[in-house]
């Protein structure tokens, strides 16, 4: 008769039921997904509320990178792996090769996102920002040859259609049978609503809102695919790679301050011009 002592108990006795049994998500995963959804929903509102349009945008990005750098360093310091283990095999050449290009992409993406934050309402921003999923799928296919299933492709096309409907590139009436049969569609959309919407479609709406967020969404997918490839190719610790990206971004921004318009504004107006305590 088999013994059940000294850790040789049956698997059913060793593994208590959990929320993730049967392939479901754990409570921890659901909690963090909820936090991510909350952050995604309120970030455009918070940014518009507490970031002035006159603020020097590079100073916001610079401060964000400093905060991320601190979080990355603290995360590594408090983690199970030591700094010696995390940085094992690290070289300056590998940092330059793996982190410089993604860091540059993220900088441009952040600048475009901040510009769009300040010129689009939260709903429009979030809908258009979802096209980054489409760009991520495209970039993963081009850079890593990762193909999507038919269900995923359908979902991505629906996402793109939602973004086009939001900007009235595709008419909402397309969902009505009368649109395709040539029937009368007058009165299906309130004229006052259409007029109010069209009045907001100024050239600035597109140049400072729609175009920046679409560029940012594409760069987000490109940066994500590039980062994933770098992590796999360089066998990097995720937090260490975050620190590397932040350092590269800070160096690029600092160098740009020498000749850029933002750099001149910082020298004339000060780094925190336009900031409030709530901006932090």
């Amino acid at each position: 008769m088999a013994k059940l002592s000294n850790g040789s108990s049956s698997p059913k006795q060793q593994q208590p039921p959990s929320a993730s049994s049967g392939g479901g998500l754990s409570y921890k995963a659901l909690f963090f997904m909820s936090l991510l959804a909350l952050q995604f929903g309120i970030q455009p509102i918070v940014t518009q509320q507490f970031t002035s349009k006159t603020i020097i945008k590079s100073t916001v990005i610079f401060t964000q990178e400093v905060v991320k750098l601190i979080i990355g360093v603290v995360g590594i310091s408090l983690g199970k792996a030591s700094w010696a283990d995390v940085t094992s095999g690290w070289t300056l050449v590998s940092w330059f090769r793996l982190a410089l290009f993604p860091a540059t992409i993220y900088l441009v993406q952040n600048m475009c996102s901040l510009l769009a934050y300040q010129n689009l309402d939260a709903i429009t921003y979030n809908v258009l920002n979802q096209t980054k999923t489409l760009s991520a799928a495209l970039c993963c296919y081009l850079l890593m040859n990762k193909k999507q299933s038919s269900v995923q492709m359908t979902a991505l096309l629906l996402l793109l259609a939602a973004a086009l409907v939001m900007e009235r590139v595709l008419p909402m009436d397309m969902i009505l049978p009368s649109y395709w049969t040539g029937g009368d569609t007058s009165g299906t959309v309130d004229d006052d609503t259409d007029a109010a919407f069209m009045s907001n479609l100024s050239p600035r709406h597109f140049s400072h809102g729609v175009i920046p967020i679409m560029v940012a969404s594409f760069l987000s997918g490109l940066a994500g695919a590039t980062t994933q490839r770098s992590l796999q190719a360089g066998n990097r610790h995720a937090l260490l790679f975050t620190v590397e990206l932040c350092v590269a971004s800070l160096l690029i921004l600092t160098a740009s301050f020498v000749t850029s318009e933002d750099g001149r504004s910082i020298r004339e107006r000060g780094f925190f011009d336009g900031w409030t305590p709530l901006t932090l």
Side-chain angles (χ1 to χ4, degrees), residues 39-109:
Q39 178 268 334
F40 183 83
I42 68 174
Q43 185 170 345
I45 300 173
V46 173
T47 302
Q48 287 182 346
Q49 184 70 28
F50 301 115
T51 304
S52 168
K53 290 187 178 182
T54 61
I55 201 170
I56 303 173
K57 294 178 177 59
S58 293
T59 63
V60 178
I61 307 302
F62 192 94
T63 306
Q64 288 177 347
E65 295 302 319
V66 171
V67 172
K68 288 191 291 185
L69 176 62
I70 294 173
I71 293 174
V73 171
V74 172
I76 295 175
S77 301
L78 298 179
K80 296 180 180 179
S82 65
W83 274 94
D85 294 333
V86 170
T87 57
S88 177
W90 184 91
T91 64
L92 187 63
V93 174
S94 67
W95 165 73
F96 187 85
R97 177 171 53 87
L98 295 175
L100 187 62
F101 180 60
T104 304
I105 297 175
Y106 278 122
L107 278 179
V108 179
Q109 177 204 340

Side-chain angles (χ1 to χ4, degrees), residues 5 15 17 19 30 48 53 58 65-66 84 94 97 112 133 149 158 180 185 193 209 228 268:
S5 59
Q15 298 177 358
L30 291 172
Q48 287 182 346
K53 290 187 178 182
S58 293
E65 295 302 319
V66 171
S94 67
R97 177 171 53 87
C112 291
T133 308
S149 67
L158 289 174
W180 302 100
T185 61
T193 302
Q228 184 175 351
E268 293 172 1

